[in-house]
Amino acid sequence: MRLTLFACLLLFFHNFAAGQNSIITDAKSLSDSAIKLLGNNEYDSALSIINKAIAISQKNNDSLQTAKCLNNIGLIYSSKGDPVKSLFYYEQSLKLLRQLNNKEDFPTALLNIGISYKEQGIYDRALKNLFEAVAFFELRGEAKKLSSAYNAIGNINRIEGNYNWALEYHTKALKLRQSINYTQGVAASLSSIGVVYKELGKYDSALFYLGKSLASIEVGKTRDDHYANTLSHIAEIYEIEESYPNAKKYFDSAYAIRKKNDSKKGIAYSLFELGRLYYSTNEHTKAETYLLRSIDEANNVKAFDIVLNAYEILRKLYKSKKNYIKAILYDDLFIKLNMQLLGEEKQKSLTQMQIKYETEKKQEEIDNLNQDKQTREAILQAKEAQLESKRVHNQNLVIVIVSLTLILTLVLVLFVLRLRYAKKLDIVMRELHHRVKNNFQVLLSLFNLQLEDINDEEAKKVIASNSNRITAMMLIHRKLYFDKEITTVKVADYIQNIVENLLVVYGLKKRGIEIKYTIDDKIKISVDNAISLGLLVNELVTNSFKYAFDDRNKKPLLFIELTKNKNNILLVQDNCTNSTEVIFKNSFGLKLVNTQVKLLKGNLQRTTDNGIKYTIVF
C-alpha cells in the first residue's frame, strides 16, 4: 500500500514538472509565432500573441523569457513606425537583462535602443548606446549584429553631414556583410554608400554603388522597400541631371514594387516623386494629379513630411499657372504644417517621458492591488486613527477658521477680479500679435507674387531682402502668439529661426555651411528690442550668405553668439576669405544696422581678422 502511494506521488510530481516545462516552452513558441506574424506585417495579431507569451512567462517567474518578449514587442512597434513605444519596451527588456547579468542578449537590446533613438533624431543618445553595443559585438565576433550597428552609426553621421565618417562606417558594415554572405545586408550597405555620394554631389560614384546594390538584390531575388528606395535614389540623380526619361523609368519601377508590397508610406512617397518629376518637365496637369494623390495617401499614414513637400511644389505650380488664390492657399497650408511639425519635433522627448511615466504608474497601481489584504486594512485603520486625531484638533481651530474665512473671501474676490482683467488683457494682446503676424504674411505673399512678374534682377534682390526683413519681424509676433510670455521674448529660438529661414531663401541648405550657436537660453528682451535685434541678425547673416560664402570658401563657417554680463553682447562672425571685398558699403543694409544699434542704445565694432566679425554691445 505504501509503495503504491509513493509511486503515485512520484508520478504526480513528474507530470507537474512536465506541465511546467510545457508552459515555459509554450511561452517561447508563442513569442516565435509572433515574430513570424511580424514578418508578414500582421502587427495586431503579433501583439496579441506576444502579450499572451508575456503573461505565461511572468506567471512562471521566467524573467529571461519576459525580457525576450519585451524586446519582441519593441520590434513590433518599431516595424509599425512608432519608435517612442518601441524604445520603452527595449529599455524594459534591457533593465531585466542587466538584472539577470545576461551578457548574451543585452548587447542586442543596446543596438535596438540606439536605432530607436536614431529614428527619433536623438543622435547623442543613439550613438552612446550603439558604441556600447559595438564593443560587445566586436569582442564576441558577431558580424551580422556588428554590421547593423556600423550601418546605424554611418546613417547618423550622414544625416549630420559627417560624410567621411559615414563612408567609413558604411564600408566597415559592407565588408562584414560580404564576409558572411549576408546578401540583403550587402545590398543595403551598397545603397547607403551610394546615398552618401549622392548627397556629396558625386553622382557617378553614387550611381555606381546604387547599381551594385540593385545587382546584389537581383542575386537574392528580393523586392522589398530597400530595393524600391534604391530605385528612387537612382531616379533622383537622373532628375537632378535633367535626364527625365531615365528618372521616370526608375520612379515607375519603385512605385510598382511599393504598390505590390502595399507599403502605404512608400506609395505616398512614390506619388510625390512622380508629381515632382512632372512639375520639372512642365506637365502641370499630371503633376497636380499625382501631388494631390500623394497628399491623400500620406495623410492616411500621418506621413506629414511628404505632405509638406507636396504643399511646397503645389504652391510653386499654381504661381506658375497664375492661379494666385490656390497659390496663397497652399502657401498658408505649408506654413501652418511646417510650424506644427517644428512643434512636434520639440515634443518628441517629452512624449517619450510621458509614455514611460504613465506605464510605470500603471505598473505601480497593479503592484499595489496585489498587496496582502490584511496589510492594506492595517494601513487603512492607521489612517483612520490619524484622521480622528486631526478631527479633534480641528475642532479647536473652528473659531479661528471662521474669522479668517471672511478675510480670505474678500481677498479671493479681489484676486478673481484681477485675474479676469489679466486674462482679458492676455487674450487681447495675443489677438493683436496674431493679426500683426497675419498682416506680415499677406505682405510676404504679395512680395512673392510680385517676384514672379519682375525681370529686373536688382529689383528682385531688393524685394527679397525686404521679404527677409518682414519675416524677421513676423517671427516675433508668431512666437508671442504661441508663448506663455506676451511682453518679452526668449531670443535663442528666435535667432535660430531667422538663420534657418535665410538658409532656405538663399538655397544654402545643401552648401554644407557649419553654423555654431552660443546663445544664453535665459536671455529675455522686450518686443521692441527683439525686433531691432532680429533685423540686426538678418542683415549681418545675409551679408555673410551673399558675399562671404562663395566658391573660394571651401569650409564656410558662421559663429553667432549672444551672452550677458552687465550688458548683452551679440557677436556675428564668418570665415570669409575676401573680407576686404564684402564689408558693408554705404548701403541701405548698413544704414539699417546703424539705426537698429542706436535703437538698442548700443555700439558696433567690426574687425577683419580671419573673416569679418561684428560685435554689438547693448
Side-chain angles (χ1 to χ4, degrees), residues 534-585:
L535 290 171
L536 264 177
V537 171
N538 182 80
E539 295 303 318
L540 297 178
V541 173
T542 296
N543 196 54
S544 293
F545 284 175
K546 288 171 67 176
Y547 305 112
F549 299 148
D550 56 17
D551 292 337
R552 288 177 289 179
N553 194 337
K554 300 302 181 184
K555 293 183 178 179
L557 180 61
L558 181 66
F559 293 93
I560 300 177
E561 180 176 310
L562 180 61
T563 56
K564 184 177 181 65
N565 192 0
K566 291 183 180 179
N567 296 310
N568 297 305
I569 303 171
L570 172 66
L571 181 147
V572 179
Q573 181 179 9
D574 58 45
N575 67 337
C576 72
T577 57
N578 54 336
S579 57
T580 56
E581 301 175 22
V582 301
I583 295 176
F584 271 119
K585 306 300 180 183

Side-chain angles (χ1 to χ4, degrees), residues 24 26-32 34-35 46-47 49-58 62-76 89-90 93 96-97:
I24 294 172
D26 286 345
K28 183 179 184 304
S29 298
L30 285 171
S31 181
D32 292 341
I35 293 303
L47 278 174
I49 291 177
I50 201 74
N51 283 326
K52 292 178 182 177
I54 280 189
I56 293 173
S57 59
Q58 287 179 336
D62 187 353
S63 298
L64 178 59
Q65 188 60 42
T66 301
K68 291 181 177 180
C69 288
L70 288 168
N71 181 75
N72 288 343
I73 293 177
L75 287 173
I76 294 169
Y89 285 102
Y90 287 145
S93 175
L96 273 178
L97 292 170

Side-chain angles (χ1 to χ4, degrees), residues 468-469 472-473 494-495 498-499 502 528-544 560 562 570-572 584 589-604 614-618:
N468 295 337
R469 291 161 184 148
M473 292 186 287
Y494 174 49
I495 290 176
I498 291 174
V499 177
L502 291 173
D528 290 340
N529 285 346
I531 291 174
S532 295
L533 180 64
L535 290 171
L536 264 177
V537 171
N538 182 80
E539 295 303 318
L540 297 178
V541 173
T542 296
N543 196 54
S544 293
I560 300 177
L562 180 61
L570 172 66
L571 181 147
V572 179
F584 271 119
L590 177 61
K591 293 177 183 178
L592 184 59
V593 167
N594 289 328
T595 300
Q596 302 311 312
V597 171
K598 288 179 182 178
L599 289 174
L600 290 170
K601 298 180 181 178
N603 59 75
L604 169 68
Y614 294 92
T615 305
I616 298 97
V617 180
F618 64 96

